[in-house]
Amino acid sequence: TKCAPHPKPKRAPPSLVSPSCARVVCRHRRNIMASNATAASAAAYELVWGDGVVGTWLLGMTVAFLTLMPLSHALFPKSLKKEGAFLLCFELVAAVPLAYCGFVGADAWLYRLDDFTDSAQRLYGTSPHAVRILQCNFSFQAWDFFISFFHKELRSPEMLAHHSLAAMLCYWALTMPYMHYYAVYFMGVVEISSVPLVLVDICKYYPELQRRFPALDLGAKVAFGLLFLAAGGPGEATL
């Protein structure tokens, strides 16, 4: 018996698009993707830097720190002779954005978020109060990250990681935008406890101050503990 002949392979239909046209189409698509990426980058830049708030915070904290350094040495020459003025000036400057975030956050959380009634709004809704908090917190975390490299007490890996991650979260929340409702609480309200923590850290860095004013140190520690528990316990239960 004869074997059946093998079927001839079918030829692929000729392409309707010439190679030169295909290259043009691919190049056009790449240009569109590049232009979209550029537009997204420009929009993100505008949301973070466009109104000048972040730049003003960064400049203000830097100028305040550089002004306080010689002023502190002039006012407390003996007290700062051993430890130096760096940590004192750092803590005094840090207290301002932390207090601002805490105040704006508490005000917004209590009185200005009535429109966030469902989960979709809490995830994707925007709030001008959250924007103010996020801009301030982003500025502080970025400033804190870079200035920490100038003192060994501040540049521990865990603190550098904390500042960089917090700044990244603020950046994402500003540019997406995303979770403004929760940003008011976690980037704003909880920072209230950081204000007495400034005094706790100053007394830790300058033991002479702790010995001369033990009530100030104790009061700051108690205030920090109570505010931290209030923000982290009953406060989170209302989210």
Side-chain angles (χ1 to χ4, degrees), residues 86-121:
F86 190 98
L87 291 173
L88 175 63
C89 298
F90 167 80
E91 294 293 342
L92 291 176
V93 172
V96 177
L98 293 173
Y100 177 86
C101 288
F103 173 78
V104 176
D107 177 68
W109 186 255
L110 293 173
Y111 306 113
R112 307 184 189 279
L113 296 179
D114 295 336
D115 294 337
F116 293 81
T117 56
D118 56 47
S119 57
Q121 288 175 321

Side-chain angles (χ1 to χ4, degrees), residues 3-203:
C3 296
H6 292 288
K8 293 182 179 181
K10 295 182 178 180
R11 303 178 72 181
S15 175
L16 298 178
V17 181
S18 65
S20 59
C21 290
R23 286 193 293 270
V24 171
V25 171
C26 290
R27 190 159 53 243
H28 181 63
R29 287 177 178 174
R30 285 195 297 268
N31 291 338
I32 291 176
M33 293 174 64
S35 63
N36 289 341
T38 303
S41 300
Y45 178 89
E46 185 68 22
L47 286 168
V48 177
W49 303 96
D51 58 3
V53 173
V54 171
T56 301
W57 272 110
L58 290 172
L59 179 62
M61 288 185 287
T62 303
V63 170
F65 179 81
L66 295 176
T67 304
L68 285 172
M69 285 287 285
L71 186 61
S72 300
H73 278 294
L75 293 175
F76 313 106
K78 295 182 179 179
S79 301
L80 301 178
K81 185 177 181 179
K82 182 179 179 181
E83 288 85 2
F86 190 98
L87 291 173
L88 175 63
C89 298
F90 167 80
E91 294 293 342
L92 291 176
V93 172
V96 177
L98 293 173
Y100 177 86
C101 288
F103 173 78
V104 176
D107 177 68
W109 186 255
L110 293 173
Y111 306 113
R112 307 184 189 279
L113 296 179
D114 295 336
D115 294 337
F116 293 81
T117 56
D118 56 47
S119 57
Q121 288 175 321
R122 293 181 178 187
L123 287 176
Y124 305 110
T126 59
S127 165
H129 312 289
V131 170
R132 291 165 59 194
I133 293 167
L134 290 165
Q135 287 177 321
C136 178
N137 212 311
F138 173 78
S139 306
F140 169 69
Q141 301 296 344
W143 181 83
D144 198 339
F145 178 85
F146 287 106
I147 202 170
S148 294
F149 285 99
F150 294 94
H151 200 285
K152 62 181 180 180
E153 288 283 348
L154 304 175
R155 59 174 178 256
S156 61
E158 59 271 19
M159 290 308 299
L160 292 176
H162 163 76
H163 297 313
S164 59
L165 291 173
M168 191 182 302
L169 289 173
C170 291
Y171 179 86
W172 284 343
L174 281 170
T175 55
M176 287 186 179
Y178 189 53
M179 287 193 174
H180 279 200
Y181 177 83
Y182 299 102
V184 168
Y185 191 86
F186 289 105
M187 297 297 181
V189 176
V190 298
E191 295 294 5
I192 293 175
S193 64
S194 299
V195 178
L197 184 60
V198 167
L199 290 175
V200 174
D201 286 340
I202 290 176
C203 291

